[in-house]
């Protein structure tokens, strides 16, 4: 403590400059003659003397002590640079040290840098109107392009008299816990909400799949709420639902990893034409078509059911945090979010994650049959499937025979106890002991379509021989769907890298009588895969969500596994 006191120029140390300045010459000499009993200080001075002697060669006598400097004596511009490099959460404590520090911490440059480095805020509060990147443009391009310019005067904050310190403390830091990915509790339908710092706003964007069946199109998104500073010291929450512009809302952080939103002016959600106009508008936005364009009667019923159900949640919603799956170099492909086709239910969002020798697809958005949070597909990476030649691929019975043979082999392994030992639950075991899916090894043999030993059965040399084939080396092999298998998207890839045995979850309406049925997982490339549902004679095509999400990484693999259990238990 004595060393720190001398460095800062405060405290009872004999080297305190301020105390020496107040003393007379006699008092100063007497103070200098007093012995210094601080052992830590003596050790530091002794070390400095040794180093000085080594560097000075034959120089006789002790070297002079280094000059002592106090932080208080540093110029203000240097203190500003030092304070700006500290985390924003440490600055309030620093302001309590002394009056000088507190005065310097009112410098807006410090807080502007913290806003930029911690939250990515790049806008300049003083030059928004001067540089042409005006508040109107920020609002119009990011929030609601339908709002006419004449209304901006009433809804935009006054940035001219606002400070970055207020932006940091009253907006960014206060609502930092809601940044990231969330799943709204909308019954079986779920959803994907991304809360981000967008300019000088915190905005909750609802991500929507592209219109069915264009699975390769980019995601659509619309704002549900926004938070910003309308006044100097108060953050304002506004609901963005409806077509009448922003209106008053409320956000409550219920508990860790959960918050809720509430609209206080639900009349802004209603349209002059009543529920019929609201339904037609919702149908154009959700499906990109009118009801007259949908000829399938069952599909019309599903669409109407979804509109009635989801419209009940337009005034209050609860959100639960979700994480992106952790990745590992041994993973078959990079895990993440994918858009998939689900028949009459349209496109849905699925999260692909890897757990040892298994991969799982968990629904982020769902439907009345398989709700959000459920595990829609599971892939057994120990059992590769070798597809027949192109002509035999068109034969559905031939594909069924191959898959059912693998299923029988999996059941035998489960009965023999090999299933539990080979699954490698989660990522708790060493990954080095698990074979990489992209490089199949001899301990995971199988049988080929002609019944001869292959990857999942036979001798080790057979697995190596299969791995040398073009399809197994990642060069791709021709692929075509069997005759009779329906697909929402006929523009699927005609070559694939490899195939694995998997199971898909099917159920009746209301998630009744759920069961896992056999299927085939087809890997096309790094961003696309498919799944053939044998019992349904249906094919689902999945395409990666090409978006970057901040504040969405799981703190640990265990936290991600716990998150999967939580969202699944809500709809079980």
């Amino acid at each position: 403590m004595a060393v720190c006191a001398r460095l800062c120029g405060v405290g009872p140390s004999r080297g305190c400059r301020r105390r020496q300045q107040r003393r007379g010459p006699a008092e100063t000499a007497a103070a200098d003659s007093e012995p210094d009993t601080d052992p830590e200080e003596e050790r530091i001075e002794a070390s400095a003397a040794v180093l000085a002697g080594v560097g000075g060669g034959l120089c006789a006598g002790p070297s002079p002590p280094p000059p002592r400097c106090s932080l208080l004596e540093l110029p203000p511009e240097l203190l500003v640079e030092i304070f700006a490099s500290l985390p924003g959460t440490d600055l309030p404590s620093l302001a309590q040290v002394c009056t000088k520090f507190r005065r310097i911490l009112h410098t807006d440059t410090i807080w502007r840098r913290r806003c930029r480095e911690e939250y990515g805020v790049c806008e300049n509060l003083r030059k928004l109107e001067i540089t042409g990147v005006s508040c109107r443009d920020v609002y119009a391009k990011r929030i609601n392009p339908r709002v006419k310019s004449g209304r901006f005067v009433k809804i935009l904050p006054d940035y001219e008299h606002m400070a970055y310190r207020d932006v940091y403390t009253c907006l960014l830091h206060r609502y930092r816990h809601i940044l990231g990915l969330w799943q709204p509790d909308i019954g079986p339908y779920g959803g994907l909400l991304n809360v981000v710092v967008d300019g000088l706003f915190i905005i909750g964007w609802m991500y929507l799949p592209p219109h069915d069946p264009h699975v390769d199109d980019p995601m659509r998104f619309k704002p549900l709420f926004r938070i910003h500073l309308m006044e100097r010291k108060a953050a304002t929450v506004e609901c963005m639902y409806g077509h009448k512009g922003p209106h008053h809302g409320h956000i409550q952080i219920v508990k860790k990893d959960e918050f809720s939103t509430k609209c206080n002016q639900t009349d802004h959600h209603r349209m002059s034409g009543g529920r019929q106009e609201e339904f037609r508008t919702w149908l154009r936005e959700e499906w990109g078509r009118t009801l007259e364009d949908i000829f399938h009667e069952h599909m019309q019923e599903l669409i109407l059911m979804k509109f009635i159900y989801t419209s009940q949640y337009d005034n209050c919603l609860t959100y639960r945090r979700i994480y992106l799956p952790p990745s590992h170099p041994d993973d078959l492909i990079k895990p993440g979010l994918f858009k998939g086709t689900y028949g009459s239910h349209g496109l849905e969002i699925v999260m692909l994650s890897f757990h040892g020798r298994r991969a799982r697809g968990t629904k982020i958005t769902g439907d009345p049959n398989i709700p959000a949070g459920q595990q829609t597909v599971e892939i057994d990476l120990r059992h590769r499937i070798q597809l027949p030649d192109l002509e035999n691929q068109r034969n559905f019975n031939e594909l069924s025979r191959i898959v059912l043979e693998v299923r029988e082999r999996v059941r035998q392994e489960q009965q023999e106890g090999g299933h539990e030992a080979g699954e490698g639950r989660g990522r708790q075991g060493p990954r080095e002991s698990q074979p990489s899916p992209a490089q199949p090894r001899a301990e995971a043999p199988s049988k080929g379509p002609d019944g001869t030993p292959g990857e999942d059965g036979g001798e080790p040399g057979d697995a190596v021989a299969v791995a040398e084939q073009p399809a197994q080396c990642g060069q791709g092999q021709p692929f075509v769907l069997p005759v009779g298998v329906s697909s929402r998207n006929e523009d699927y890839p005609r070559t694939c890298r490899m195939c694995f045995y998997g199971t898909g979850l099917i159920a009746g309406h209301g998630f009744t009588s759920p069961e896992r049925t056999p299927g085939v997982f087809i890997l096309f490339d790094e961003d696309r895969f498919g799944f053939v549902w044998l019992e349904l004679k249906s094919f689902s095509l999945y395409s990666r969500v090409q978006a970057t999400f901040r504040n969405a990484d799981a703190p640990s693999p265990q936290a991600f596994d716990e998150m999967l259990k939580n969202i699944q238990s809500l709809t079980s």
Side-chain angles (χ1 to χ4, degrees):
M1 294 299 294
V3 177
C4 296
R6 293 180 64 181
L7 176 63
C8 297
V10 295
S13 171
R14 65 185 178 92
C16 180
R17 292 191 173 186
R18 292 192 171 186
R19 178 173 297 180
Q20 290 177 0
Q21 293 173 358
R22 290 194 298 266
R23 292 173 177 172
E27 294 178 348
T28 302
D32 289 340
S33 64
E34 294 178 2
D36 193 347
T37 58
D38 189 350
E40 179 65 17
E41 191 170 342
E42 290 178 356
R43 185 186 65 81
I44 295 176
E45 292 180 352
S47 301
V50 171
L51 292 176
V54 172
L58 300 177
C59 180
S63 60
R68 298 181 177 93
C69 180
S70 168
L71 286 176
L72 294 172
E73 297 177 359
L74 294 177
E77 58 271 14
L78 185 55
L79 289 177
V80 168
E81 187 67 22
I82 294 174
F83 294 168
S85 63
L86 298 176
T89 52
D90 295 342
L91 298 183
S93 300
L94 191 62
Q96 299 176 5
V97 173
C98 62
T99 304
K100 180 177 181 180
F101 285 4
R102 183 166 60 253
R103 183 172 62 252
I104 291 177
L105 284 173
H106 280 84
T107 305
D108 218 29
T109 307
I110 299 175
W111 298 98
R112 179 182 179 184
R113 180 172 171 182
R114 300 322 314 151
C115 290
R116 181 180 70 252
E117 293 186 359
E118 296 182 24
Y119 298 100
V121 176
C122 299
E123 275 76 4
N124 190 333
L125 294 178
R126 305 293 172 261
K127 297 182 179 180
L128 278 176
E129 297 289 348
I130 300 175
T131 60
V133 186
S134 65
C135 302
R136 300 182 179 88
D137 294 334
V138 170
Y139 178 87
K141 294 178 181 178
R142 296 177 180 172
I143 308 298
N144 193 346
R146 291 191 283 279
V147 177
K148 297 181 179 180
S149 59
R151 300 176 59 185
F152 284 109
V153 178
K154 298 181 180 180
I155 60 180
L156 286 174
D158 181 14
Y159 292 117
E160 184 178 354
H161 300 92
M162 194 175 297
Y164 276 100
R165 180 174 181 173
D166 300 329
V167 173
Y168 186 95
T169 57
C170 301
L171 177 67
L172 303 179
H173 182 72
R174 178 181 178 184
Y175 290 97
R176 67 192 185 280
H177 295 300
I178 71 172
L179 299 177
L181 289 179
W182 303 81
Q183 184 183 52
D185 184 8
I186 314 180
Y189 298 103
L192 179 64
L193 180 80
N194 186 24
V195 182
V196 299
V197 176
D198 193 346
L200 298 171
F201 301 88
I202 291 180
I203 304 178
W205 295 100
M206 180 69 83
Y207 276 65
L208 306 171
H211 293 141
D212 182 56
H214 307 292
V215 69
D216 288 325
D217 287 356
M219 295 283 287
R220 300 175 295 122
F221 45 89
K222 65 178 181 180
L224 290 191
F225 62 86
R226 72 173 186 176
I227 315 171
H228 61 109
L229 294 183
M230 288 294 289
E231 299 177 359
R232 181 180 175 86
K233 296 292 185 180
T236 299
V237 179
E238 294 178 325
C239 176
M240 304 298 298
Y241 191 87
H243 300 275
K244 296 182 180 180
H247 45 284
H248 187 58
H250 176 71
I251 286 182
Q252 179 182 3
I253 300 178
V254 181
K255 57 182 179 181
K256 186 178 182 296
D257 297 334
E258 182 176 327
F259 77 97
S260 62
T261 59
K262 182 180 180 180
C263 177
N264 298 330
Q265 294 176 287
T266 55
D267 56 300
H268 281 65
H269 304 174
R270 307 280 78 87
M271 302 186 73
S272 59
R275 297 290 282 176
Q276 186 174 4
E277 183 182 358
E278 294 174 10
F279 172 67
R280 292 185 176 275
T281 303
W282 174 86
L283 187 60
R284 286 194 301 269
E285 295 178 351
E286 188 82 8
W287 292 83
R289 62 182 78 176
T290 63
L291 195 62
E292 291 76 12
D293 298 332
I294 303 174
F295 302 102
H296 199 290
E297 184 177 352
H298 178 59
M299 192 173 184
Q300 292 180 353
E301 295 176 354
L302 292 174
I303 292 174
L304 183 59
M305 182 188 310
K306 183 176 182 179
F307 169 75
I308 296 175
Y309 194 98
T310 56
S311 60
Q312 302 173 13
Y313 293 85
D314 63 349
N315 63 334
C316 186
L317 269 177
T318 300
Y319 303 87
R320 295 176 178 85
R321 183 180 294 279
I322 59 176
Y323 298 115
L324 292 178
S327 60
H328 192 275
D330 288 344
D331 291 338
L332 187 64
I333 59 175
K334 181 181 177 181
L337 298 175
F338 289 79
K339 305 154 285 182
T341 57
Y342 280 88
S344 299
H345 298 293
L347 299 188
E348 299 182 7
I349 304 174
V350 172
M351 176 183 291
L352 179 68
S353 57
F354 292 91
H355 308 262
R357 300 184 187 179
R358 292 186 179 274
R360 296 170 182 168
T362 304
K363 280 194 171 186
I364 302 301
T365 62
D367 52 69
N369 292 80
I370 307 298
Q374 292 299 315
Q375 184 180 316
T376 176
V377 293
E378 182 175 358
I379 303 98
D380 191 340
L381 300 176
R382 301 169 301 159
H383 296 87
R384 293 269 288 271
I385 291 180
Q386 175 63 34
L387 295 177
D389 56 64
L390 193 60
E391 187 61 31
N392 286 325
Q393 286 185 33
R394 302 180 185 276
N395 189 336
F396 179 79
N397 294 330
E398 178 66 15
L399 179 64
S400 298
R401 182 188 66 80
I402 297 173
V403 175
L404 294 179
E405 284 181 358
V406 178
R407 183 180 67 171
E408 186 61 29
R409 198 174 311 118
V410 171
R411 288 178 176 177
Q412 293 177 2
E413 293 176 358
Q414 291 175 348
Q415 294 174 357
E416 295 170 359
H419 172 72
E420 184 176 353
E423 181 174 1
R425 299 182 183 275
R427 299 184 184 273
Q428 300 177 2
R431 293 298 298 257
E432 292 76 15
S433 63
Q434 302 171 358
S436 171
Q439 299 176 353
R441 300 176 186 173
E443 63 264 28
S446 69
K447 287 187 177 181
D450 55 355
T452 58
E455 287 180 74
D456 291 329
E459 301 300 326
D462 298 324
V464 177
V466 173
E468 291 176 352
Q469 299 178 7
Q472 313 301 338
C473 296
Q475 299 177 6
Q477 74 172 105
F479 173 78
V480 65
L481 286 175
V483 177
V485 174
S486 61
S487 173
R488 294 290 297 176
N489 195 329
E490 295 297 334
D491 188 23
Y492 61 87
R494 293 307 195 267
T495 58
C496 68
R497 291 185 180 179
M498 56 187 75
C499 301
F500 293 90
Y501 171 78
T503 59
L505 184 62
I506 63 174
H509 187 84
F511 198 43
T512 56
S513 304
E515 61 173 325
R516 306 207 70 88
T517 60
V520 183
F521 171 85
I522 306 106
L523 177 63
F524 296 114
D525 51 46
E526 287 293 323
D527 298 324
R528 289 180 297 180
F529 66 87
F531 192 83
V532 176
W533 310 73
L534 287 186
E535 185 165 331
L536 302 178
K537 286 190 174 183
S538 177
F539 172 74
S540 293
L541 178 63
Y542 301 83
S543 179
R544 185 182 298 275
V545 174
Q546 301 290 353
T548 301
F549 299 101
R550 298 185 60 182
N551 306 295
D553 295 330
S556 66
Q558 293 75 19
F560 176 78
D561 293 337
E562 187 67 24
M563 180 272 298
L564 287 182
K565 294 179 182 178
N566 291 337
I567 64 175
Q568 185 175 4
S569 64
L570 297 174
T571 56
S572 298

